[in-house]
Amino acid sequence: MRLLLSVVVILVIALLGSRLTFLNRRLPLGFKNILFTGAEYIFIGVILGRMGLNLIDARSLNNLEPFIIFGLCWIGFLFGLQFEFRQLKNLPRFYFSISAIQAFITFLIVSFAVYLSFRALFSIPKNTLLIMAITLGSVASCTAQSALAIVSNNYQFENRKLLALLRYISSVDGIFALGFFTIAIWIMPGVNNADFSLARSLRWFILSISLGILSALILITLSKTKFSQQEFLVFLIGTVLFCGGLASKANSSPLVIGFICGTITANFCRHRLRALATIIHSEKSIYIILLIIIGASWSFKLGYIVLITGIYFLTRTIGKVIGTFTATRIFRTEFYTPPALGLGLLSEGGLTIAIIINFKLLYPSLSDYLVTIIILSLFVNELISPKFILYQLKGFKKITKR
């Protein structure tokens, strides 16, 4: 009965939340950005979870695991659908290199700092520390587009090339975040395996890629027949369910396998845009549900973890600034790029949450620390990121309020 009530409450909140918008309200940009990213649903999850009413208890969370797998696979599939290589080639050639260098430097700085911090403050095995540090480094390298969308919605720029560069970086560096996260899982592919085994890791890696390709091939084959819009929706849902089921059976990442499936579909299926429009239509509701679930499962305790959260936030900011500065000096653009341009890339957003939920799914005993770090950091970054974007762009060209 509790599970049924939990499901009904979550679905009602998700359906209502997907139809609400606060973008036209007169609120500070930071608060608009928090509402735009849906971060407030984490607090709703906290109220419904074990730190609140306990409506969504541990047993309910365990029973909701199949939907979590489906939701992660859906988000990964959507993210992969956006990467059609033919379109990427039409963009300025240095943008991808700038994004790669920025993401890699941020990943290295955060991973190293977090590893040393955990090692100094907690008694955790080295292999476990490594996978936790790499996971936090991977989510740190990721940038959300929400703050840039908020800024663009409220201001108009005479020269939009710098903003276009920030948008490109924020849309592409998620590839590197997923790549780094895949490395983390590759080190220890399994909940109970504490020791690294190259043979086991290679089997897991090959199997994960094969499952993503297999799922995409099934969808591409089905899409070659005549079908209605309703039938195409069934094809998409069925493919994502199949993909998530394979990931669950292989003890692999539904987010990564979904991304592989989406990327293959984007480049080899002629109905890519139709699939993208269909997937996006339901993405917000699924994302809200995942936010509620992570809030309900959150176990926050004061202690050294707050200090590590501060270290993560500080090193991520430093990594973004140093990474972007280094990249834009190696690959110079035709327009001026401010030295602290990386401050315009602080927003974290949806993919960060998805990676942490995926980590929690695979390594539940290790996840409480990481969930706390990401949730606290996310609220701070979403609050301050619009102002930092304006600060970078304001000195470049005159900004006029819409």
Side-chain angles (χ1 to χ4, degrees):
M1 185 64 185
R2 184 189 291 253
L3 175 62
L4 179 61
L5 182 59
S6 300
V7 171
V8 171
V9 171
I10 291 173
L11 288 177
V12 169
I13 294 173
L15 289 173
L16 291 176
S18 64
R19 286 162 174 75
L20 294 176
T21 179
F22 299 91
L23 294 183
N24 296 323
R25 304 291 178 88
R26 292 185 176 180
L27 296 170
L29 288 182
F31 286 102
K32 278 189 176 183
N33 192 35
I34 289 176
L35 294 172
F36 185 51
T37 57
E40 70 275 13
Y41 294 102
I42 295 176
F43 281 129
I44 295 177
V46 171
I47 294 172
L48 297 175
R50 54 187 173 184
M51 290 198 296
L53 302 175
N54 202 33
L55 175 63
I56 308 175
D57 58 6
R59 185 176 179 182
S60 298
L61 288 170
N62 187 58
N63 289 327
L64 288 170
E65 185 174 301
F67 180 82
I68 297 174
I69 294 172
F70 172 79
L72 290 172
C73 202
W74 189 272
I75 291 174
F77 184 72
L78 170 61
F79 191 64
L81 277 177
Q82 300 174 55
F83 291 98
E84 187 180 16
F85 298 129
R86 285 169 295 184
Q87 290 187 354
L88 292 176
K89 290 180 180 178
N90 296 328
L91 295 168
R93 58 177 180 170
F94 291 148
Y95 281 21
F96 187 83
S97 300
I98 291 172
S99 303
I101 293 174
Q102 174 274 141
F104 185 67
I105 290 178
T106 303
F107 167 75
L108 286 181
I109 291 175
V110 173
S111 298
F112 184 71
V114 168
Y115 180 86
L116 293 180
S117 301
F118 269 112
R119 188 174 180 180
L121 298 174
F122 295 93
S123 298
I124 301 175
K126 287 185 179 180
N127 280 354
T128 303
L129 275 180
L130 188 60
I131 191 173
M132 293 171 68
I134 292 177
T135 299
L136 284 173
S138 69
V139 298
S141 66
C142 180
T143 309
Q145 300 188 54
S146 57
L148 291 166
I150 290 290
V151 169
S152 298
N153 190 59
N154 287 271
Y155 292 87
Q156 187 174 11
F157 306 97
E158 293 179 4
N159 191 328
R160 301 181 66 86
K161 290 184 178 180
L162 187 60
L163 183 63
L165 173 61
L166 290 174
R167 279 180 166 170
Y168 180 89
I169 294 173
S170 65
S171 65
V172 168
D173 60 7
I175 296 178
F176 304 104
L178 281 176
F180 298 142
F181 179 58
T182 302
I183 293 173
I185 308 172
W186 180 77
I187 291 173
M188 199 167 73
V191 178
N192 299 315
N193 295 322
D195 297 324
F196 175 74
S197 169
L198 180 60
R200 183 180 61 239
S201 295
L202 285 175
R203 284 197 301 269
W204 173 88
F205 185 73
I206 295 171
L207 179 62
S208 297
I209 293 178
S210 301
L211 295 180
I213 294 175
L214 174 63
S215 302
L217 290 177
I218 292 174
L219 178 60
I220 292 170
T221 302
L222 290 172
S223 64
K224 289 182 178 179
T225 62
K226 292 183 179 180
F227 52 83
S228 64
Q229 180 60 28
Q230 291 77 14
E231 289 171 332
F232 190 57
L233 178 60
V234 172
F235 293 165
L236 290 174
I237 294 175
T239 299
V240 175
L241 281 171
F242 179 70
C243 191
L246 292 176
S248 178
K249 287 294 183 182
N251 197 26
S252 187
S253 166
L255 187 65
V256 172
I257 293 180
F259 171 73
I260 295 170
C261 178
T263 304
I264 299 297
T265 303
N267 290 277
F268 296 99
C269 180
R270 60 179 179 176
H271 298 289
R272 167 188 172 267
L273 294 178
R274 191 172 182 178
L276 188 60
T278 305
I279 292 288
I280 287 177
H281 184 72
S282 304
E283 184 250 352
K284 187 174 182 180
S285 297
I286 292 175
Y287 179 54
I288 288 173
I289 293 173
L290 292 178
L291 288 172
I292 294 172
I293 289 174
I294 196 172
S297 64
W298 186 24
S299 179
F300 173 68
K301 296 178 182 178
L302 289 173
Y304 288 129
I305 195 63
V306 178
L307 175 60
I308 295 181
T309 301
I311 293 171
Y312 168 82
F313 171 80
L314 181 61
T315 53
R316 181 177 184 268
T317 303
I318 293 172
K320 290 289 184 183
V321 173
I322 294 176
T324 308
F325 176 81
T326 303
T328 52
R329 278 10 181 215
I330 295 175
F331 299 97
R332 293 189 176 274
T333 58
E334 60 183 14
F335 50 89
Y336 173 72
T337 54
L341 183 62
L343 291 175
L345 300 169
L346 296 183
S347 182
E348 291 184 88
L351 187 59
T352 295
I353 293 293
I355 290 175
I356 291 301
I357 293 176
N358 201 157
F359 180 89
K360 185 176 180 64
L361 192 68
L362 294 172
Y363 310 101
S365 62
L366 311 178
S367 62
D368 283 345
Y369 292 145
L370 271 63
V371 170
T372 296
I373 290 170
I374 293 305
I375 289 179
L376 295 180
S377 172
L378 182 140
F379 276 100
V380 175
N381 279 318
E382 301 313 311
L383 187 64
I384 66 174
S385 55
K387 287 294 184 182
F388 276 112
I389 292 172
L390 288 177
Y391 176 75
Q392 296 304 309
L393 295 170
K394 197 170 185 177
F396 181 59
K397 282 291 181 179
K398 181 180 178 181
I399 302 174
T400 54
K401 195 80 179 284
R402 279 181 177 172

